[in-house]
Amino acid sequence: MADHKVLAGAHVVLPTGIVENGRVIVDGDRIVGSTPEGAETLDLTGHWLVPGFVDMHNHGGGGASFTSGSVDEVLKGVHTHRLHGTTTVVASFVTGEMDFLTQRAGLLSELAEQGEIAGLHFEGPFISPCRKGAHDETLLRDPDPADVRKLIDAARGQAKMVTLATELPGGLDSVRLLAEHGVIAAIGHTDASYEQTVEAIDAGATVATHLYNAMPALGHRTPGPIAALLEDERITVELINDGTHLHPAALELAFHHAGPRRVAFITDAMDAAGFGDGRYMLGPLEVEVKDSVARLVEGGSIAGSTLTLDRAFKRAATIDGLPVESVVQAISANPARLLGVYDRVGSLEPGKDADIVVLDAEFNLKGVMRKGEWIVDPKADTAA
C-alpha cells in the first residue's frame, strides 16, 4: 500500500471551521499540504473527518488496568481505546501505596518514552476522604510537597497531571511545586470552599478533575468549588459525558459558562471500557459493572466509567446538540494543548501526526488512523 493517501469528499473539521467536500492528505505518518504523485484516494463523501481524540484522564480498558496491569495489559487497554478513536491517551492511576505508585510510574514512564501513552496522571492519594469516590480511604494522605515530588521524580519527566484536594495541609505548596515543574495541578476529589478554590487557582492550578463529580454541589450561598472553577479563565474543566456522571443540563451549564475553549471531554474509563459488564478491581477496591455503569461493590459509589470517547463525541453532537467544531475542541484540541502536545496532535493541520477519525453522518465511528496507519479501516463501510 502506498504511503500516500488522500481522504476526500468529507466534512473536514479544521481549527478554522468546517470545510465541506474537503480532503486531508497523508504522506507516511504525517498530514501534508499538497498531494504527492500516485496517492491513493479514498472517497469519504457524507462522512466527517476529525482529529484523533485525546483523553487526558483514563484508568484503563479492554479488561486491563493502567494502575495495576502488566505492560502487555496496559498496551491492550491503550489499543482498546484506539479502536474507539482515542489516538492519544494519558494513563491515570488511582490511589495506592506511595512505593507502589512510584514503582508503577517508573514502569509506565517507559511506555510514555516509547510514545505508546502520552504521560501519567496521578489521581490520588492526595485527595479528601470526604470526597474519595472510588479510592481506598486507608491509603489517602495529605499533599505533602515532598511526597508529590517523589511521584513526579519517579515518572522521569512523564508526569502530566496530579489531582489534589488543594484545601488539605500542603495543598497550595504542592500546587506551586507542580506548576514549577510543568505538571498540571488539577483540583478534584475536594471538599474545598469557593474561597479555597480561588486560592488554589491563584497558586497555579489549571484543571478541574471531572467537574461536579467528587466535590461539593453548587450552592446559592456557598457556591463551593464548581462556581470558582467555571468562572475562572485559567481553568479547563473535565467533563465525563456518558449520561450517567452528569445530567445533560449540568453539561450544558458548564459548556455555556466555560465555553468550548475551556472544556476537555474525558472518559475516566476503568478496565471495563470496551469490555463489558462484570466484576473488576479498581486499585484495591472491587467494582461491579452493570448495564455499563461502574459502581463500588461496597457503598455503591460511581467508580470511573466504561465510556469511550467515540460515544462521548456522538452524545455531545446529537443528544447535547453541541456544534461539531466545539466537540472537536473539547475532545482533541484542548486536551492536546494542556498536555503540551498540540504541535503534534489535536487538529488536522499539515505537519502534524496523521491521527484521524472518520465518523458517518450520524457520528458513528467508521475509521481510525494513527500516524498514517489504519487501526479501524473505513473501506468496508464506504463501499456499503
Side-chain angles (χ1 to χ4, degrees):
M1 184 187 286
D3 270 352
H4 306 145
K5 304 175 184 80
V6 179
L7 314 182
H11 317 288
V12 180
V13 184
L14 301 177
T16 49
I18 297 170
V19 177
E20 302 297 342
N21 192 21
R23 58 190 201 153
V24 176
I25 303 158
V26 175
D27 185 359
D29 62 355
R30 295 292 170 95
I31 296 169
V32 293
S34 58
T35 314
E37 293 271 321
E40 164 196 341
T41 298
L42 179 61
D43 181 8
L44 291 170
T45 302
H47 289 67
W48 291 89
L49 284 184
V50 299
F53 309 145
V54 180
D55 193 354
M56 58 190 272
H57 185 159
N58 185 321
H59 297 279
S65 162
F66 295 154
T67 303
S68 56
S70 66
V71 168
D72 282 348
E73 285 172 329
V74 169
L75 290 172
K76 181 184 170 194
V78 170
H79 184 67
T80 297
H81 284 282
R82 285 180 187 166
L83 293 173
H84 291 276
T86 299
T87 49
T88 303
V89 66
V90 169
S92 300
F93 298 154
V94 292
T95 294
E97 297 278 7
M98 283 293 291
D99 288 349
F100 172 75
L101 289 173
T102 54
Q103 182 260 327
R104 290 297 295 176
L107 183 72
L108 263 65
S109 65
E110 290 183 29
L111 293 182
E113 286 157 10
Q114 292 160 18
E116 297 291 348
I117 56 176
L120 309 179
H121 163 219
F122 298 95
E123 188 180 22
F126 312 116
I127 61 175
S128 171
C130 313
R131 303 284 172 180
K132 65 182 185 297
H135 292 253
D136 184 343
E137 187 166 353
T138 63
L139 298 175
L140 301 182
R141 53 175 63 212
D142 288 340
D144 179 334
D147 285 339
V148 174
R149 181 68 195 262
K150 261 184 216 163
L151 292 187
I152 305 175
D153 288 347
R156 303 204 303 253
Q158 300 299 331
K160 291 290 185 178
M161 183 160 67
V162 178
T163 295
L164 310 154
T166 52
E167 75 279 7
L168 296 174
L172 294 179
D173 284 338
S174 291
V175 168
R176 292 184 191 103
L177 172 81
L178 290 165
E180 280 165 25
H181 285 80
V183 179
I184 294 165
I187 300 172
H189 287 275
T190 176
D191 205 40
S193 66
Y194 174 87
E195 290 76 15
Q196 287 171 318
T197 306
V198 169
E199 273 190 287
I201 298 168
D202 286 341
T206 55
V207 165
T209 292
H210 45 54
L211 186 77
Y212 298 114
N213 298 112
M215 59 181 66
L218 188 62
H220 62 293
R221 289 198 189 90
T222 51
I226 293 169
L229 294 162
L230 277 179
E231 74 184 6
D232 199 300
E233 287 290 315
R234 294 170 288 181
I235 291 287
T236 299
V237 298
E238 293 182 347
L239 297 174
I240 307 171
N241 193 20
D242 61 354
T244 300
H245 280 77
L246 300 175
H247 188 284
L251 178 105
E252 209 282 326
L253 177 75
F255 227 97
H256 177 76
H257 208 75
R261 282 186 313 104
R262 291 180 43 224
V263 172
F265 282 142
I266 59 159
T267 59
D268 192 19
M270 46 79 76
D271 324 11
F275 204 63
D277 288 2
R279 290 219 168 182
Y280 298 85
M281 298 304 292
L282 187 61
L285 303 179
E286 196 175 12
V287 172
E288 179 159 25
V289 178
K290 192 173 171 188
D291 299 329
S292 297
V293 177
R295 291 188 180 275
L296 288 186
V297 171
E298 298 247 337
S301 276
I302 294 180
S305 85
T306 61
L307 186 62
T308 49
L309 281 180
D310 57 334
R311 279 176 36 220
F313 193 113
K314 180 173 180 173
R315 185 180 177 87
T318 56
I319 294 169
D320 301 314
L322 294 170
V324 177
E325 306 98 306
S326 298
V327 181
V328 167
Q329 276 187 280
I331 220 162
S332 300
N334 298 342
R337 277 199 189 89
L338 281 165
L339 296 171
V341 294
Y342 189 67
D343 58 324
R344 298 200 316 274
V345 300
S347 68
L348 300 178
E349 293 176 277
K352 292 198 176 186
D353 290 355
D355 290 1
I356 303 166
V357 172
V358 182
L359 304 168
D360 69 12
E362 283 78 46
F363 302 102
N364 299 304
L365 184 129
K366 293 297 175 185
V368 181
M369 178 184 279
R370 185 172 187 269
K371 296 194 173 176
E373 297 291 330
W374 288 115
I375 295 170
V376 177
D377 194 330
K379 283 197 190 76
D381 287 299
T382 53

